[in-house]
Amino acid sequence: MTEVKKEVTPEEEKLTIRDISIAAEAQTKQGDTFYLITQRNLGDSSAGIDLHDTLVEGTDYILLPQEVWNQLYEWYRGGPILPRKVINSGLSQTELAVEVYPLRLQLHLMPKDERSTIRISKKETIRQLHKKTCEIFSLIPELVCIWDYFNHQKHALMNDMDKTLDDANIQMDQDILVEVANGNSAGGVNSFHENGTADNGTVALVKPSQPNFSNAEGLSLSKGSTRNGTAELSQSQQLASSGTDQTYGSSGVSTRGSACGLTGLLNLGNTCFMNSAIQCLVHTPEFARYFREDYYQEINRQNPLGMVGELALAFGDLLRKLWAPGRTPVAPRPFKAKLARFAPQFSGYNQHDSQELLAFLLDGLHEDLNRVKHKPYIKSKDADGRPDEEVADEYWANHIARNDSIIVDVCQGQYKSTLVCPVCNKVSVTFDPFMYLSLPLQSATTRRMTVTIFTCDGSALPAACTVTVPKQGRCRDLIQALGNSCSLKQNEKLMLAEIRGHLIHRFLEDPLISLSSIKDDDHLAAYKIPKSIKNSKFLQLIHRREEREIGISQSIVGWKPYGTPLVSPICCDDVITRGDIQLIVHRMLSPMLRTENPGFNCVSRSKTAAAAANASRLATSSEACVDSSLANDVPRQKDVPSSKLVNLEKLPLQLVDENNACIDLTVGEDKSVKLSSSSVSILVFADWSQKLLENYDTRYIENLPEVTKYGPATKKTRTEPLSLYSCLEAFLREEPLVPEDMWYCPTCKERRQASKKLDLWRLPEVLVIHLKRFSYSRSMKHKLETFVNFPIHDFDLTKYVANKNNSRRQLYELYALTNHYGGMGSGHYTAHIKLLDENRWYNFDDSHISPINEEDVKSAAAYVLFYRRVKTDHHHSVSNGTVSSAGQHSISLRK
């Protein structure tokens, strides 16, 4: 911009703008003018400027009140002048918003086939559009009529001159047909009827599709005249009788004049996760009816857990746009802005999990629409042996007393949760609400786990052992399976440890630890040790190797842990010398000693073997630590002279003493070692030089396999597809709680890893099922591409409901689902949705909508499933009041 004479300091300018902005914005009203200033180029002329559709306020441009603009214009000159008006928006038309993007309409003049583009506010009337159109084409207003010309098909004659373009459902980039009547017609615009006939009896225009209206139930009906008189037709009948066919092209489905609900959502940048979830909710019939009615009085603005009603209003506004007839794809920017405000985790343009968004939306909409304005405090009572039916009804009544909304009416069910203490067998029963079910995709009841077995006496090389254990079992099940597989002797036992970073991260000593706490990419080792050990400590041999600095000199900069630690018990009844530890380590490493190597000849190898045999006697005074043939000849440490080390290679070992200082064990072999009284472990570092590595085959300790290995080589053993019923059964199966969810037992007065059993008790009208395809571990994210065979019709849950007093058959039918294609964080979401009025399935891929066959609905991409309860003839009522006689759904809008 060009600077004028008056000079203003930056600080003065900032303060002045701030004061003017605060005063102006506080008094903003409909019709006020704001000015748009671009952040990127302030020096362009305003002539011909058309804003890009994806600009973001605060990033690409800012809006200034007219008072601020006037002050700036007094200081500066030049730059584009882009005024924008303040309009009323939102469901109640009480929210003020600056209309940054006025409607851009394409005018088509017939029969001359001339075209022009016009920008006009959606709050302008049809009369004003008609006037500007006549001015653009230099037409006589009395001879001109304009049509809603969506997708180049005549939809409705725009002759209600006082209706706003917003009320007429005119959208961005809408086509408007401009027709000039026969000059002999004296009636002007009013000479045209809605059916396209003129007063002179000639058919001036093609008969359009009939406009849609909403009845009291929110169902879309078509009211129009036929040759035989007035009739009310359903959407499908309207489509057939009007003679207007659905057209399918590369851009999807033409929906003007056909059934509502086929409007896409523009992808604003990685927002497919949001679009797919929204479409499924929008096409839930109960929500479509509710949000198209007057739900405004149910907004709970006082709920501290809600979003002051703003999320519900934004969702309702978006739903109405998506259900309006003949929409072009909608850009959900206002909704996304509200979402980012109340859920910052979904801000920006990164890919997110559609199920996590769905969970937030259901919970947020519930709180915004909760009919309970003041939640009472209710303390849950223990079952105390009372009948389940009584306790369940009590829990549900308590829940409804605090949570009462359309979301609860439609989506919430109840399950029975049974906890059993593993120590005292205390049983606790509660009945909790659920909004959706998250089902695991592993139907198998077993799990294959790989653990590497190590011996403490040097009797065998380490060996990986793969066993099958109960999927929801405990460590005792794994240890028992390993013992059977590795032929564990009667006087031996296994000590299980998790290895992380080449160190022992933890010993899995508690036999009740749940196997579900062990991840697939963890590394486990099992050490064979004597079963009866008294007054002993465990020597942990930690391997280290040289870490060299990259460069010409290749100098050693330190020692870095590698491989897998070895473990051996040491009896503490006698004095332990440095030579004793050398002998024990020689014994532990002896299986890996190479047969022929430059450092150790055959003689020294035989001496090493003999010393290793003696070292096995050093480990413990118990008979259990040696072979039965040596059981009667077990000398103690004092019986083995240190001269046994004379002909042995000294290993570079360092002992960590109680002061965390390292003691060199290559010298002073007769010196005693002082052990820490507070620790049960003795840490010894074995520093492997390149020369020493040539003497031992250390590959046996270097590559510890994962518990469960994923990869292309993994063979699929399942011969039949995984069924949704199997997933549900796995979800309901009894299993121990994970360690971080330990339960406080009221009898033991301690936190216990109780077993938990879930049962379905009360099912909702709409059942949402989340297939848990994504798993997370410390080092990786994994997606299961498992194909789940889910029923589209007759999903029968009757046998899974524990409430046997409810004799009603629990049948459900699929009507929507989200799909996820590709990998974690970089995939794509779509939705498959069935329009119930048409009884036809469609694929919603952002703004692209296309019909699909029912057999194409099932795929390995299915992620979140939406089921509706099937109406049955069995007369039964449910206590929450959401089902009336004959099983018909009856949502109660308690206002």
Short mmCIF file of all heavy atoms in Angstrom, two decimals, residues 694-744:
data_model
loop_
_atom_site.label_atom_id
_atom_site.label_comp_id
_atom_site.label_asym_id
_atom_site.label_seq_id
_atom_site.Cartn_x
_atom_site.Cartn_y
_atom_site.Cartn_z
N GLU A 694 35.20 -63.71 18.41
CA GLU A 694 35.66 -64.75 17.49
C GLU A 694 35.68 -66.13 18.15
O GLU A 694 35.66 -67.15 17.48
CB GLU A 694 37.05 -64.40 16.95
CG GLU A 694 37.07 -63.15 16.08
CD GLU A 694 38.48 -62.75 15.70
OE1 GLU A 694 39.42 -63.43 16.17
OE2 GLU A 694 38.65 -61.77 14.95
N ASN A 695 35.70 -66.14 19.49
CA ASN A 695 35.77 -67.42 20.21
C ASN A 695 34.39 -68.01 20.53
O ASN A 695 34.29 -69.20 20.82
CB ASN A 695 36.55 -67.24 21.52
CG ASN A 695 37.98 -66.82 21.27
OD1 ASN A 695 38.57 -67.16 20.25
ND2 ASN A 695 38.55 -66.07 22.21
N TYR A 696 33.37 -67.18 20.49
CA TYR A 696 32.03 -67.63 20.87
C TYR A 696 31.04 -67.33 19.74
O TYR A 696 31.13 -66.30 19.05
CB TYR A 696 31.54 -66.93 22.14
CG TYR A 696 32.25 -67.38 23.40
CD1 TYR A 696 33.43 -66.76 23.82
CD2 TYR A 696 31.73 -68.41 24.18
CE1 TYR A 696 34.08 -67.16 24.97
CE2 TYR A 696 32.38 -68.83 25.33
CZ TYR A 696 33.55 -68.20 25.72
OH TYR A 696 34.18 -68.61 26.87
N ASP A 697 30.09 -68.22 19.59
CA ASP A 697 29.02 -68.02 18.61
C ASP A 697 27.85 -67.35 19.34
O ASP A 697 26.96 -68.01 19.87
CB ASP A 697 28.59 -69.37 18.02
CG ASP A 697 27.62 -69.21 16.86
OD1 ASP A 697 27.23 -68.06 16.57
OD2 ASP A 697 27.25 -70.22 16.25
N THR A 698 27.86 -66.03 19.34
CA THR A 698 26.89 -65.28 20.16
C THR A 698 25.57 -65.01 19.45
O THR A 698 24.72 -64.30 19.99
CB THR A 698 27.49 -63.93 20.60
OG1 THR A 698 27.88 -63.19 19.43
CG2 THR A 698 28.71 -64.15 21.49
N ARG A 699 25.39 -65.57 18.28
CA ARG A 699 24.14 -65.31 17.57
C ARG A 699 22.94 -65.86 18.34
O ARG A 699 21.80 -65.41 18.15
CB ARG A 699 24.18 -65.92 16.17
CG ARG A 699 24.39 -67.43 16.17
CD ARG A 699 24.45 -68.00 14.78
NE ARG A 699 24.77 -69.42 14.80
CZ ARG A 699 24.76 -70.21 13.73
NH1 ARG A 699 24.45 -69.68 12.56
NH2 ARG A 699 25.07 -71.48 13.84
N TYR A 700 23.19 -66.84 19.22
CA TYR A 700 22.09 -67.44 19.99
C TYR A 700 21.49 -66.47 21.01
O TYR A 700 20.38 -66.68 21.49
CB TYR A 700 22.58 -68.71 20.70
CG TYR A 700 23.00 -69.80 19.76
CD1 TYR A 700 24.35 -70.02 19.49
CD2 TYR A 700 22.07 -70.60 19.13
CE1 TYR A 700 24.77 -71.02 18.62
CE2 TYR A 700 22.46 -71.60 18.26
CZ TYR A 700 23.81 -71.80 18.00
OH TYR A 700 24.19 -72.79 17.13
N ILE A 701 22.24 -65.45 21.37
CA ILE A 701 21.72 -64.49 22.35
C ILE A 701 21.45 -63.13 21.73
O ILE A 701 20.99 -62.21 22.41
CB ILE A 701 22.71 -64.30 23.53
CG1 ILE A 701 24.04 -63.72 23.02
CG2 ILE A 701 22.90 -65.60 24.29
CD1 ILE A 701 24.98 -63.32 24.13
N GLU A 702 21.71 -62.99 20.43
CA GLU A 702 21.62 -61.67 19.82
C GLU A 702 20.21 -61.32 19.33
O GLU A 702 19.77 -60.20 19.50
CB GLU A 702 22.61 -61.56 18.65
CG GLU A 702 24.06 -61.48 19.10
CD GLU A 702 25.01 -61.40 17.91
OE1 GLU A 702 24.52 -61.52 16.77
OE2 GLU A 702 26.22 -61.22 18.14
N ASN A 703 19.53 -62.23 18.73
CA ASN A 703 18.24 -61.94 18.09
C ASN A 703 17.11 -62.65 18.82
O ASN A 703 16.76 -63.78 18.51
CB ASN A 703 18.27 -62.34 16.62
CG ASN A 703 19.32 -61.58 15.84
OD1 ASN A 703 19.42 -60.37 15.95
ND2 ASN A 703 20.12 -62.31 15.06
N LEU A 704 16.58 -61.97 19.79
CA LEU A 704 15.46 -62.53 20.55
C LEU A 704 14.17 -62.28 19.76
O LEU A 704 13.85 -61.14 19.42
CB LEU A 704 15.38 -61.85 21.92
CG LEU A 704 14.64 -62.59 23.04
CD1 LEU A 704 15.34 -63.89 23.36
CD2 LEU A 704 14.55 -61.71 24.28
N PRO A 705 13.42 -63.33 19.43
CA PRO A 705 12.21 -63.13 18.61
C PRO A 705 11.10 -62.43 19.39
O PRO A 705 11.06 -62.45 20.61
CB PRO A 705 11.81 -64.57 18.26
CG PRO A 705 12.37 -65.40 19.37
CD PRO A 705 13.66 -64.73 19.77
N GLU A 706 10.20 -61.80 18.63
CA GLU A 706 9.04 -61.16 19.24
C GLU A 706 8.05 -62.24 19.71
O GLU A 706 8.05 -63.37 19.23
CB GLU A 706 8.35 -60.24 18.23
CG GLU A 706 9.20 -59.05 17.81
CD GLU A 706 8.49 -58.18 16.79
OE1 GLU A 706 7.42 -58.60 16.31
OE2 GLU A 706 9.00 -57.09 16.48
N VAL A 707 7.20 -61.85 20.63
CA VAL A 707 6.19 -62.79 21.14
C VAL A 707 5.31 -63.30 20.00
O VAL A 707 5.05 -64.50 19.87
CB VAL A 707 5.34 -62.11 22.23
CG1 VAL A 707 4.12 -62.97 22.56
CG2 VAL A 707 6.17 -61.86 23.47
N THR A 708 4.86 -62.37 19.16
CA THR A 708 4.08 -62.75 17.97
C THR A 708 4.61 -61.94 16.81
O THR A 708 4.62 -60.71 16.88
CB THR A 708 2.58 -62.47 18.16
OG1 THR A 708 2.12 -63.20 19.29
CG2 THR A 708 1.80 -62.91 16.93
N LYS A 709 5.03 -62.59 15.78
CA LYS A 709 5.65 -61.92 14.64
C LYS A 709 4.62 -61.69 13.55
O LYS A 709 3.95 -62.61 13.10
CB LYS A 709 6.81 -62.76 14.09
CG LYS A 709 7.53 -62.13 12.91
CD LYS A 709 8.26 -60.85 13.30
CE LYS A 709 9.05 -60.27 12.14
NZ LYS A 709 9.71 -59.00 12.51
N TYR A 710 4.50 -60.40 13.16
CA TYR A 710 3.65 -60.07 12.02
C TYR A 710 4.52 -59.89 10.78
O TYR A 710 5.66 -59.44 10.87
CB TYR A 710 2.89 -58.76 12.27
CG TYR A 710 1.76 -58.90 13.25
CD1 TYR A 710 1.89 -58.43 14.55
CD2 TYR A 710 0.57 -59.51 12.88
CE1 TYR A 710 0.86 -58.55 15.46
CE2 TYR A 710 -0.47 -59.64 13.78
CZ TYR A 710 -0.33 -59.16 15.06
OH TYR A 710 -1.36 -59.27 15.95
N GLY A 711 3.98 -60.20 9.66
CA GLY A 711 4.73 -60.00 8.43
C GLY A 711 4.16 -60.82 7.30
O GLY A 711 3.22 -61.61 7.48
N PRO A 712 4.70 -60.65 6.11
CA PRO A 712 4.18 -61.38 4.95
C PRO A 712 4.27 -62.88 5.10
O PRO A 712 3.51 -63.61 4.49
CB PRO A 712 5.10 -60.90 3.80
CG PRO A 712 5.68 -59.61 4.28
CD PRO A 712 5.80 -59.75 5.78
N ALA A 713 5.22 -63.34 5.92
CA ALA A 713 5.40 -64.79 6.05
C ALA A 713 4.36 -65.44 6.96
O ALA A 713 4.26 -66.64 7.03
CB ALA A 713 6.80 -65.08 6.58
N THR A 714 3.60 -64.61 7.65
CA THR A 714 2.60 -65.15 8.57
C THR A 714 1.54 -65.90 7.77
O THR A 714 0.91 -65.34 6.88
CB THR A 714 1.94 -64.02 9.38
OG1 THR A 714 2.98 -63.31 10.06
CG2 THR A 714 0.96 -64.58 10.39
N LYS A 715 1.33 -67.14 8.10
CA LYS A 715 0.37 -67.96 7.37
C LYS A 715 -1.01 -67.79 7.96
O LYS A 715 -1.20 -67.72 9.17
CB LYS A 715 0.76 -69.44 7.41
CG LYS A 715 2.08 -69.73 6.70
CD LYS A 715 2.38 -71.22 6.74
CE LYS A 715 3.67 -71.53 6.00
NZ LYS A 715 3.99 -72.97 6.04
N LYS A 716 -2.01 -67.69 7.08
CA LYS A 716 -3.39 -67.60 7.53
C LYS A 716 -3.94 -69.01 7.72
O LYS A 716 -4.04 -69.78 6.78
CB LYS A 716 -4.23 -66.84 6.50
CG LYS A 716 -3.81 -65.38 6.34
CD LYS A 716 -4.71 -64.66 5.36
CE LYS A 716 -4.30 -63.20 5.22
NZ LYS A 716 -5.16 -62.47 4.26
N THR A 717 -4.30 -69.30 8.93
CA THR A 717 -4.79 -70.64 9.23
C THR A 717 -6.31 -70.70 9.23
O THR A 717 -6.89 -71.77 9.23
CB THR A 717 -4.27 -71.10 10.61
OG1 THR A 717 -4.69 -70.15 11.60
CG2 THR A 717 -2.76 -71.15 10.61
N ARG A 718 -6.98 -69.51 9.23
CA ARG A 718 -8.43 -69.51 9.28
C ARG A 718 -8.98 -69.91 7.92
O ARG A 718 -8.64 -69.33 6.90
CB ARG A 718 -8.95 -68.13 9.67
CG ARG A 718 -10.46 -68.10 9.87
CD ARG A 718 -10.94 -66.71 10.24
NE ARG A 718 -10.46 -66.34 11.55
CZ ARG A 718 -9.63 -65.33 11.76
NH1 ARG A 718 -9.20 -64.62 10.76
NH2 ARG A 718 -9.22 -65.04 12.98
N THR A 719 -9.81 -70.91 7.88
CA THR A 719 -10.37 -71.38 6.63
C THR A 719 -11.70 -70.70 6.32
O THR A 719 -12.11 -70.63 5.19
CB THR A 719 -10.59 -72.90 6.69
OG1 THR A 719 -11.43 -73.21 7.82
CG2 THR A 719 -9.26 -73.62 6.83
N GLU A 720 -12.38 -70.20 7.33
CA GLU A 720 -13.65 -69.52 7.13
C GLU A 720 -13.53 -68.08 7.58
O GLU A 720 -12.75 -67.76 8.47
CB GLU A 720 -14.76 -70.23 7.93
CG GLU A 720 -15.04 -71.65 7.45
CD GLU A 720 -16.18 -72.27 8.23
OE1 GLU A 720 -16.70 -71.60 9.16
OE2 GLU A 720 -16.56 -73.41 7.93
N PRO A 721 -14.33 -67.18 6.98
CA PRO A 721 -14.27 -65.78 7.39
C PRO A 721 -14.66 -65.63 8.86
O PRO A 721 -15.48 -66.38 9.40
CB PRO A 721 -15.29 -65.10 6.48
CG PRO A 721 -15.49 -66.03 5.32
CD PRO A 721 -15.27 -67.40 5.88
N LEU A 722 -14.08 -64.64 9.49
CA LEU A 722 -14.42 -64.32 10.87
C LEU A 722 -15.82 -63.72 10.88
O LEU A 722 -16.12 -62.78 10.14
CB LEU A 722 -13.40 -63.33 11.43
CG LEU A 722 -13.65 -62.78 12.83
CD1 LEU A 722 -13.61 -63.89 13.85
CD2 LEU A 722 -12.61 -61.71 13.15
N SER A 723 -16.69 -64.25 11.71
CA SER A 723 -18.07 -63.75 11.75
C SER A 723 -18.22 -62.69 12.84
O SER A 723 -17.47 -62.67 13.83
CB SER A 723 -19.06 -64.89 12.01
OG SER A 723 -18.98 -65.31 13.37
N LEU A 724 -19.19 -61.81 12.66
CA LEU A 724 -19.47 -60.78 13.65
C LEU A 724 -19.92 -61.41 14.96
O LEU A 724 -19.63 -60.89 16.04
CB LEU A 724 -20.53 -59.82 13.13
CG LEU A 724 -20.81 -58.58 13.98
CD1 LEU A 724 -19.56 -57.73 14.12
CD2 LEU A 724 -21.94 -57.75 13.38
N TYR A 725 -20.61 -62.53 14.87
CA TYR A 725 -21.03 -63.24 16.08
C TYR A 725 -19.81 -63.69 16.89
O TYR A 725 -19.80 -63.62 18.12
CB TYR A 725 -21.90 -64.44 15.73
CG TYR A 725 -23.26 -64.08 15.18
CD1 TYR A 725 -23.55 -64.23 13.83
CD2 TYR A 725 -24.26 -63.58 16.02
CE1 TYR A 725 -24.80 -63.91 13.32
CE2 TYR A 725 -25.52 -63.26 15.51
CZ TYR A 725 -25.78 -63.42 14.16
OH TYR A 725 -27.01 -63.09 13.66
N SER A 726 -18.77 -64.18 16.19
CA SER A 726 -17.55 -64.61 16.90
C SER A 726 -16.88 -63.44 17.60
O SER A 726 -16.37 -63.57 18.71
CB SER A 726 -16.57 -65.25 15.91
OG SER A 726 -17.14 -66.40 15.32
N CYS A 727 -16.89 -62.29 16.94
CA CYS A 727 -16.31 -61.09 17.57
C CYS A 727 -17.09 -60.71 18.82
O CYS A 727 -16.51 -60.34 19.85
CB CYS A 727 -16.31 -59.92 16.59
SG CYS A 727 -15.29 -60.17 15.13
N LEU A 728 -18.40 -60.80 18.75
CA LEU A 728 -19.24 -60.47 19.90
C LEU A 728 -18.99 -61.45 21.04
O LEU A 728 -18.90 -61.05 22.21
CB LEU A 728 -20.71 -60.47 19.50
CG LEU A 728 -21.72 -60.19 20.60
CD1 LEU A 728 -21.50 -58.81 21.20
CD2 LEU A 728 -23.15 -60.32 20.08
N GLU A 729 -18.85 -62.73 20.72
CA GLU A 729 -18.59 -63.73 21.75
C GLU A 729 -17.24 -63.50 22.42
O GLU A 729 -17.10 -63.70 23.63
CB GLU A 729 -18.67 -65.13 21.13
CG GLU A 729 -20.10 -65.54 20.75
CD GLU A 729 -20.14 -66.73 19.81
OE1 GLU A 729 -19.04 -67.27 19.50
OE2 GLU A 729 -21.24 -67.11 19.37
N ALA A 730 -16.25 -63.09 21.64
CA ALA A 730 -14.95 -62.78 22.23
C ALA A 730 -15.04 -61.57 23.15
O ALA A 730 -14.39 -61.52 24.19
CB ALA A 730 -13.93 -62.51 21.12
N PHE A 731 -15.88 -60.61 22.79
CA PHE A 731 -16.08 -59.42 23.62
C PHE A 731 -16.76 -59.77 24.94
O PHE A 731 -16.44 -59.20 25.99
CB PHE A 731 -16.93 -58.40 22.84
CG PHE A 731 -17.37 -57.22 23.64
CD1 PHE A 731 -16.48 -56.19 23.95
CD2 PHE A 731 -18.68 -57.10 24.09
CE1 PHE A 731 -16.88 -55.09 24.68
CE2 PHE A 731 -19.10 -56.00 24.82
CZ PHE A 731 -18.19 -54.99 25.11
N LEU A 732 -17.68 -60.71 24.89
CA LEU A 732 -18.44 -61.08 26.09
C LEU A 732 -17.74 -62.14 26.93
O LEU A 732 -18.19 -62.44 28.04
CB LEU A 732 -19.83 -61.59 25.69
CG LEU A 732 -20.74 -60.59 24.94
CD1 LEU A 732 -22.03 -61.26 24.51
CD2 LEU A 732 -21.03 -59.38 25.80
N ARG A 733 -16.63 -62.69 26.44
CA ARG A 733 -15.95 -63.77 27.15
C ARG A 733 -15.27 -63.24 28.42
O ARG A 733 -14.78 -62.11 28.48
CB ARG A 733 -14.91 -64.40 26.24
CG ARG A 733 -14.28 -65.68 26.78
CD ARG A 733 -13.34 -66.27 25.76
NE ARG A 733 -14.06 -66.67 24.55
CZ ARG A 733 -13.80 -66.21 23.34
NH1 ARG A 733 -12.81 -65.34 23.16
NH2 ARG A 733 -14.49 -66.61 22.29
N GLU A 734 -15.26 -64.05 29.46
CA GLU A 734 -14.61 -63.66 30.72
C GLU A 734 -13.11 -63.52 30.51
O GLU A 734 -12.48 -64.35 29.86
CB GLU A 734 -14.89 -64.71 31.80
CG GLU A 734 -14.29 -64.35 33.16
CD GLU A 734 -14.62 -65.39 34.23
OE1 GLU A 734 -15.36 -66.35 33.91
OE2 GLU A 734 -14.17 -65.22 35.36
N GLU A 735 -12.53 -62.47 31.09
CA GLU A 735 -11.09 -62.24 30.97
C GLU A 735 -10.60 -61.42 32.16
O GLU A 735 -11.38 -60.69 32.79
CB GLU A 735 -10.77 -61.50 29.67
CG GLU A 735 -11.39 -60.13 29.59
CD GLU A 735 -11.07 -59.41 28.29
OE1 GLU A 735 -10.56 -60.05 27.37
OE2 GLU A 735 -11.34 -58.21 28.21
N PRO A 736 -9.33 -61.54 32.49
CA PRO A 736 -8.79 -60.74 33.61
C PRO A 736 -8.62 -59.28 33.20
O PRO A 736 -8.37 -58.98 32.03
CB PRO A 736 -7.43 -61.40 33.89
CG PRO A 736 -7.05 -62.04 32.60
CD PRO A 736 -8.32 -62.46 31.93
N LEU A 737 -8.75 -58.40 34.15
CA LEU A 737 -8.53 -56.99 33.90
C LEU A 737 -7.06 -56.74 33.60
O LEU A 737 -6.18 -57.44 34.10
CB LEU A 737 -8.95 -56.15 35.11
CG LEU A 737 -10.44 -56.16 35.48
CD1 LEU A 737 -10.64 -55.42 36.78
CD2 LEU A 737 -11.28 -55.54 34.38
N VAL A 738 -6.79 -55.73 32.77
CA VAL A 738 -5.41 -55.35 32.52
C VAL A 738 -4.86 -54.70 33.79
O VAL A 738 -5.61 -54.14 34.59
CB VAL A 738 -5.30 -54.39 31.32
CG1 VAL A 738 -5.71 -55.09 30.05
CG2 VAL A 738 -6.15 -53.15 31.54
N PRO A 739 -3.54 -54.76 34.01
CA PRO A 739 -2.96 -54.26 35.26
C PRO A 739 -3.33 -52.82 35.59
O PRO A 739 -3.52 -52.48 36.76
CB PRO A 739 -1.45 -54.42 35.03
CG PRO A 739 -1.34 -55.54 34.05
CD PRO A 739 -2.52 -55.41 33.16
N GLU A 740 -3.44 -51.95 34.55
CA GLU A 740 -3.74 -50.55 34.86
C GLU A 740 -5.20 -50.33 35.27
O GLU A 740 -5.56 -49.24 35.72
CB GLU A 740 -3.42 -49.66 33.65
CG GLU A 740 -4.02 -50.12 32.34
CD GLU A 740 -3.08 -51.00 31.55
OE1 GLU A 740 -2.24 -51.67 32.16
OE2 GLU A 740 -3.19 -51.01 30.32
N ASP A 741 -6.04 -51.35 35.11
CA ASP A 741 -7.45 -51.25 35.52
C ASP A 741 -7.75 -52.15 36.71
O ASP A 741 -8.85 -52.71 36.82
CB ASP A 741 -8.36 -51.63 34.34
CG ASP A 741 -8.31 -50.61 33.22
OD1 ASP A 741 -7.97 -49.45 33.51
OD2 ASP A 741 -8.59 -50.97 32.07
N MET A 742 -6.80 -52.28 37.58
CA MET A 742 -6.99 -53.15 38.77
C MET A 742 -8.22 -52.69 39.56
O MET A 742 -8.50 -51.50 39.69
CB MET A 742 -5.75 -53.07 39.66
CG MET A 742 -4.49 -53.58 38.97
SD MET A 742 -4.26 -55.34 39.06
CE MET A 742 -3.49 -55.49 40.65
N TRP A 743 -8.94 -53.67 40.08
CA TRP A 743 -10.20 -53.41 40.79
C TRP A 743 -9.96 -53.45 42.28
O TRP A 743 -9.23 -54.31 42.79
CB TRP A 743 -11.22 -54.47 40.36
CG TRP A 743 -12.49 -54.48 41.15
CD1 TRP A 743 -13.45 -53.52 41.21
CD2 TRP A 743 -12.97 -55.55 42.00
NE1 TRP A 743 -14.48 -53.90 42.02
CE2 TRP A 743 -14.22 -55.14 42.53
CE3 TRP A 743 -12.45 -56.80 42.35
CZ2 TRP A 743 -14.95 -55.95 43.39
CZ3 TRP A 743 -13.19 -57.60 43.20
CH2 TRP A 743 -14.42 -57.17 43.71
N TYR A 744 -10.57 -52.50 43.00
CA TYR A 744 -10.46 -52.49 44.47
C TYR A 744 -11.49 -53.44 45.06
O TYR A 744 -12.70 -53.22 44.94
CB TYR A 744 -10.66 -51.08 45.02
CG TYR A 744 -10.54 -51.02 46.52
CD1 TYR A 744 -9.29 -50.97 47.14
CD2 TYR A 744 -11.67 -51.01 47.34
CE1 TYR A 744 -9.17 -50.92 48.52
CE2 TYR A 744 -11.57 -50.96 48.72
CZ TYR A 744 -10.31 -50.92 49.31
OH TYR A 744 -10.19 -50.88 50.68
#
